[in-house]
Amino acid sequence: EDIRSIAISPDGRRLLTASDDTTLRLWAITDEGIHPDLAFPLTGHADAVRAVAFSPDGRLAASGSDDNTTIIWDVATSRPFGPALLGHAQSVTGLAFSPDGRLLATASNDSSLRLWRVRDGKPLGAPLLGHEDSVRSVAFSPDGKRLVSGAWDGHVILWDVAGRKALGEPLVGHQSDVLSVAFSPDGQTLASGSTDGTVILWDVAK
């Protein structure tokens, strides 16, 4: 069925794919091409898998699903690293590991974001609230101090990770849904892409 999301491991040797068939698959990337890394898919979700990401060291991966859960996987064993992360009321549509690998951010159709401690799967405080519609994308700044989210309300919001609060007012400029956000390597510029057909570059230097 449809492939919803893909991620390449930091060492470039593995590919992770997420599908509407509720499974994920690990693939080996070699000079000869891409081959199944496992004879079986990763199973654990009860609905379509919408988002995947590798941790910075490549040892873990995370997946978000229409079953409202997030699963962190141990890549070496191909098994869940712990219990599923429960808390969102609707589909998990985006996720990102912090640069140090200690936190996982999740975005959801329930209009919220959540921060989780990777080591034990516990939520870090209350949900981050500020969007008025489904949150579709989330990313950490390179220094891990800020988070950015884009949503169907057409807004982009910068968040302070330590304080778990919005940094100022939402960034307004798109005329339609914001589906993708990303920081530049120096963390001073933010890019957002929208269904209005535009990409906006924002100066977010401190």
Side-chain angles (χ1 to χ4, degrees):
E1 296 191 35
D2 291 350
I3 303 299
R4 291 287 181 176
S5 183
I6 61 173
I8 295 176
S9 61
D11 63 9
R13 296 180 179 178
R14 283 192 172 99
L15 174 71
L16 182 64
T17 59
S19 172
D20 276 353
D21 68 6
T22 77
T23 71
L24 301 94
R25 281 190 177 270
L26 274 169
W27 309 80
I29 302 174
T30 68
D31 292 339
E32 289 73 37
I34 299 175
H35 312 281
D37 196 35
L38 297 169
F40 53 88
L42 306 185
T43 59
H45 286 295
D47 209 333
V49 185
R50 288 193 171 268
V52 289
F54 278 100
S55 64
D57 63 9
R59 295 180 179 179
L60 301 175
S63 58
S65 168
D66 280 347
D67 66 8
N68 308 346
T69 72
T70 299
I71 296 177
I72 299 176
W73 303 87
D74 183 322
V75 174
T77 64
S78 303
R79 296 181 180 277
F81 185 66
L85 309 185
L86 307 176
H88 283 297
Q90 296 184 44
S91 303
V92 178
T93 52
L95 42 78
F97 283 94
S98 61
D100 63 9
R102 295 180 179 180
L103 298 178
L104 179 71
T106 56
S108 172
N109 278 347
D110 66 11
S111 305
S112 77
L113 297 102
R114 282 181 174 268
L115 289 168
W116 311 82
R117 290 199 306 255
V118 170
R119 61 180 172 84
D120 58 11
K122 299 297 184 182
L124 190 65
L128 304 183
L129 304 175
H131 284 291
E132 300 172 1
D133 209 333
S134 302
V135 188
R136 306 302 293 181
S137 184
V138 61
F140 278 93
S141 61
D143 63 7
K145 295 180 179 180
R146 292 177 292 171
L147 194 69
V148 63
S149 57
W152 276 3
D153 58 13
H155 297 167
V156 175
I157 297 180
L158 275 170
W159 307 86
D160 172 57
V161 173
R164 298 189 300 279
K165 61 182 180 181
L167 291 168
E169 296 298 315
L171 305 180
V172 179
H174 286 294
Q175 303 302 311
S176 189
D177 312 338
V178 178
L179 299 184
S180 187
V181 290
F183 277 98
S184 61
D186 63 6
Q188 298 189 36
T189 303
L190 175 68
S192 58
S194 167
T195 56
D196 65 12
T198 69
V199 173
I200 296 179
L201 296 179
W202 309 87
D203 182 353
V204 293
K206 296 180 181 179

